[in-house]
Amino acid sequence: MRKILLLNFILLTTLTFSQDYGDFPSIPKQKLLYDVEILYQGLDKFHSGMYWYTPKDSVDVAFAQVKEKIDRDLNLLEFHKLIAPLVALSREDHTLIKLPLNTRERIGKETRILPLTIVFLDQKMYGVFNGSENAGLEIKGKEIESINGETPIEIVEKIGTFFSSDGYIKTVKYQDSVGFNFSRYYFYYYGLQDNFKIKFRDKAEIFELKSLTIPEINTNVESRNKDFVPASKSNILEFEILNNHAAYLGLNSFNNFEIRKNTKNKKLKKFLKNSFKLISENNIDNLIVDVSKNSGGTEGNEGLVYSYLGENYQKYLKVRAKNQKAIVDNGVDKPLTLNTFGFLERVFVNKKMKDGSLERKQWIGYGLKAFKEEPKHKFDGKVYVIISPITYSGGSEFSNMVYSNTDAIFVGQETGGGYYGNTSGYRREVILPNSLIIVNIPALQFMMNVKQKIPFGRGVIPHYKVVPTFDEYMSNTNAPLEFILEKLAHVK
């Protein structure tokens, strides 16, 4: 396995110096090597889950290979292409790498990219809006077979090395490549392209489209889609009694700030109390819980929802931080100090282990248990959970708990969050001193206590896989919900 991981890294990070990224200034070789050292120390000393999926010796070899590739001065985009896959070796989607803000703004205004917006439905790529100079080209809903001679799957395999996903979950690589993201990542990997040769599955000819800037693309799209009305944004919290037997609970975020700002009840606890009271009063025996748009939020909210569905248990095997403080120092630039906890949390919530790490105690807060108290109107009927690649962090932890401890039926697509846990919590920002590339490193490793087995490195895999059609995607139709209501007859 280690050899395979390393071979994939070598193949996917081969840098072609003849690529054209524009006139970004070069950074001296030695300064880039100093930045690589800062990056390595930050991940090695502070990232609590850095070696959960990728062994340390493989990471060390990968860093050594990158140092060898830096054999001359490189511009910012050339350097980014080399180190982004190093960050992705964490295989943890909470670990982020970003170009400096002024560079991102410049790329957004000046860089010429693929003049189409796209969407992946499962692993198939569809055109959404045509922003090219070829106004007569109809791409909406057309499956794209190849771009410049490569299939979408081949391309995502390459550009997917620029960002992490939990474990070995592939759905995230496709989900994160929608809209202009695909075009940007294509530029990050391949450099500037004068033209793009597009092959659609239902057409024999190949269309050659000139690259354009995002402002130019937007102007073209807006002029050709004046009647288009974007789908309305879902409410943060949704509840509806669908019929005499079924109710729908849409939980689109666990973020307390968003809930306070955008909901009537202001608190998730109050919303759940009111919703489950109505479920009980109406003798509802089928509940559909939709977390397909839930990318997480405030810790504890996932357990609050679970408390209405399952029995209490020790949710986490452990919650650990690699250390309280890490000093990152390349010997030349100003050292960086990365701290994990404040004084009170370090002393009263965590205990120090022999290896210097800190582990959360079982205490009066959320601790390691699934929830703090039993709710009044506990649901004892049939539960269906809708999931997707967007189901992440707290959203995926909720899915993990329900999947492991109840007989709920899951519908949709594999979650974006790992079944066995994640590394998230407090994130500390490391700005590489010479390139100014930003890396956000998470501090807390959440190891979940799960019963039913799923292959290591995967998310919750649905019992019924449901992928929306292109028309359903464009109309914002909830395809998994329709599937539950239509195919699982006893919900009607």
Side-chain angles (χ1 to χ4, degrees):
M1 174 59 74
R2 294 183 180 186
K3 290 182 179 179
I4 293 173
L5 286 171
L6 191 55
L7 178 60
N8 285 340
F9 181 85
I10 294 170
L11 291 175
L12 295 174
T13 59
T14 302
L15 182 65
T16 304
F17 289 122
S18 61
Q19 287 172 330
D20 179 12
Y21 285 106
D23 60 348
F24 289 95
S26 292
I27 303 172
K29 165 189 169 181
Q30 191 57 52
K31 289 191 174 183
L32 296 177
L33 291 171
Y34 292 149
D35 277 7
V36 172
E37 182 60 27
I38 291 291
L39 175 62
Y40 176 81
Q41 290 188 27
L43 295 173
D44 178 65
K45 294 181 178 181
F46 194 72
H47 195 304
S48 297
M50 184 63 199
Y51 307 119
W52 203 357
Y53 299 104
T54 308
K56 185 178 185 302
D57 56 357
S58 294
V59 173
D60 288 348
V61 170
F63 267 87
Q65 290 177 335
V66 165
K67 288 180 179 179
E68 290 180 5
K69 290 176 184 290
I70 303 174
D71 57 2
R72 65 173 181 83
D73 299 350
L74 303 176
N75 70 35
L76 184 62
L77 274 299
E78 290 173 327
F79 182 58
H80 174 262
K81 181 175 181 179
L82 281 175
I83 68 168
L86 295 175
V87 176
L89 286 175
S90 68
R91 295 190 177 275
E92 169 51 63
D93 207 355
H94 289 88
T95 312
L96 305 176
I97 181 169
K98 297 185 290 185
L99 290 165
L101 178 60
N102 62 343
T103 303
R104 282 178 275 146
E105 290 177 340
R106 179 180 167 186
I107 290 172
K109 294 176 182 178
E110 302 176 9
T111 300
R112 294 176 289 106
I113 61 174
L114 175 70
L116 310 175
T117 62
I118 61 93
V119 64
F120 278 98
L121 299 175
D122 202 7
Q123 294 185 356
K124 293 184 178 180
M125 176 194 279
Y126 296 89
V128 179
F129 292 116
N130 172 20
S132 73
E133 293 182 339
N134 185 347
L137 178 62
E138 180 55 53
I139 72 162
K140 192 172 293 185
K142 303 296 183 182
E143 184 181 348
I144 297 174
E145 187 175 290
S146 67
I147 298 176
N148 289 345
E150 292 185 298
T151 67
I153 292 177
E154 290 171 334
I155 296 170
V156 171
E157 186 74 13
K158 294 177 180 178
I159 67 175
T161 62
F162 280 89
F163 52 93
S164 305
S165 63
D166 281 13
Y168 313 109
I169 302 171
K170 291 185 177 182
T171 54
V172 176
K173 301 293 186 180
Y174 293 89
Q175 178 63 45
D176 287 356
S177 298
V178 299
F180 280 132
N181 281 351
F182 178 84
S183 299
R184 288 193 185 98
Y185 283 121
Y186 196 100
F187 163 68
Y188 292 160
Y189 191 89
Y190 295 93
L192 290 172
Q193 307 289 312
D194 291 330
N195 299 285
F196 294 89
K197 295 179 180 179
I198 311 296
K199 171 71 171 63
F200 295 95
R201 186 162 296 281
D202 64 344
K203 297 181 183 295
E205 60 187 307
I206 295 176
F207 296 87
E208 190 164 320
L209 304 179
K210 179 183 175 183
S211 59
L212 298 174
T213 65
I214 289 179
E216 291 171 331
I217 297 168
N218 282 332
T219 297
N220 290 339
V221 169
E222 290 168 7
S223 68
R224 298 165 194 166
N225 297 274
K226 294 180 179 179
D227 298 329
F228 174 72
V229 178
S232 58
K233 190 175 182 180
S234 300
N235 294 324
I236 297 295
L237 304 175
E238 302 173 275
F239 174 73
E240 183 181 356
I241 295 178
L242 301 173
N243 53 47
N244 291 335
H245 298 282
Y248 173 83
L249 198 66
L251 307 172
N252 299 318
S253 176
F254 284 147
N255 185 298
N256 278 346
F257 175 78
E258 292 182 4
I259 292 172
R260 283 194 299 271
K261 183 179 179 181
N262 299 301
T263 69
K264 177 182 177 181
N265 291 290
K266 304 299 181 183
K267 291 185 177 181
L268 178 63
K269 186 174 183 179
K270 184 176 180 181
F271 168 79
L272 293 173
K273 180 179 179 180
N274 294 339
S275 299
F276 279 92
K277 181 180 179 182
L278 288 172
I279 289 171
S280 177
E281 291 173 349
N282 286 274
N283 297 311
I284 298 297
D285 51 11
N286 290 279
L287 175 62
I288 302 166
V289 183
D290 189 347
V291 289
S292 63
K293 299 177 183 177
N294 191 320
S295 60
T298 306
E299 184 186 349
N301 282 342
E302 66 285 339
L304 191 59
V305 183
Y306 169 82
S307 70
Y308 284 89
L309 309 176
E311 299 303 316
N312 208 352
Y313 73 110
Q314 183 168 316
K315 169 187 175 183
Y316 298 118
L317 292 173
K318 65 175 66 174
V319 179
R320 65 179 292 272
K322 197 165 190 175
N323 50 44
Q324 167 59 22
K325 180 172 74 172
I327 297 176
V328 181
D329 184 6
N330 63 12
V332 177
D333 297 294
K334 182 179 178 180
L336 304 175
T337 300
L338 307 177
N339 291 305
T340 304
F341 301 111
F343 174 77
L344 293 177
E345 191 170 0
R346 175 171 58 85
V347 173
F348 294 105
V349 182
N350 294 276
K351 58 182 178 181
K352 191 170 184 178
M353 311 304 288
K354 290 182 179 180
D355 63 357
S357 65
L358 293 95
E359 291 188 10
R360 179 182 293 182
K361 303 174 184 177
Q362 187 64 267
W363 69 303
I364 58 173
Y366 287 106
L368 302 173
K369 288 286 189 179
F371 54 85
K372 291 193 290 187
E373 59 183 357
E374 290 280 348
K376 183 176 181 180
H377 299 289
K378 196 134 183 171
F379 183 73
D380 61 359
K382 190 63 181 176
V383 177
Y384 300 84
V385 182
I386 299 176
I387 55 176
S388 81
I390 297 174
T391 307
Y392 180 63
S393 196
S396 67
E397 286 196 357
F398 166 76
S399 303
N400 301 345
M401 297 161 72
V402 175
Y403 186 91
S404 178
N405 295 283
T406 76
D407 61 355
I409 299 298
F410 284 74
V411 180
Q413 300 176 71
E414 182 179 357
T415 60
Y419 180 62
Y420 292 94
N422 61 77
T423 307
S424 55
Y426 303 113
R427 281 194 303 208
R428 300 298 178 241
E429 184 178 87
V430 172
I431 301 177
L432 304 183
N434 299 292
S435 64
L436 301 182
I437 288 175
I438 304 160
V439 182
N440 286 314
I441 304 176
L444 302 184
Q445 185 180 30
F446 295 84
M447 303 178 70
M448 300 207 72
N449 181 17
V450 292
K451 299 175 184 177
Q452 298 197 45
K453 300 301 181 184
I454 282 178
F456 181 66
R458 299 289 299 276
V460 171
I461 300 171
H463 299 96
Y464 296 93
K465 182 177 180 178
V466 176
V467 180
T469 65
F470 182 81
D471 288 340
E472 288 171 333
Y473 166 79
M474 291 298 290
S475 63
N476 205 32
T477 299
N478 192 328
L481 175 61
E482 296 295 321
F483 175 87
I484 294 170
L485 295 175
E486 292 177 11
K487 304 297 183 183
L488 304 177
H490 58 283
V491 179
K492 294 183 178 180

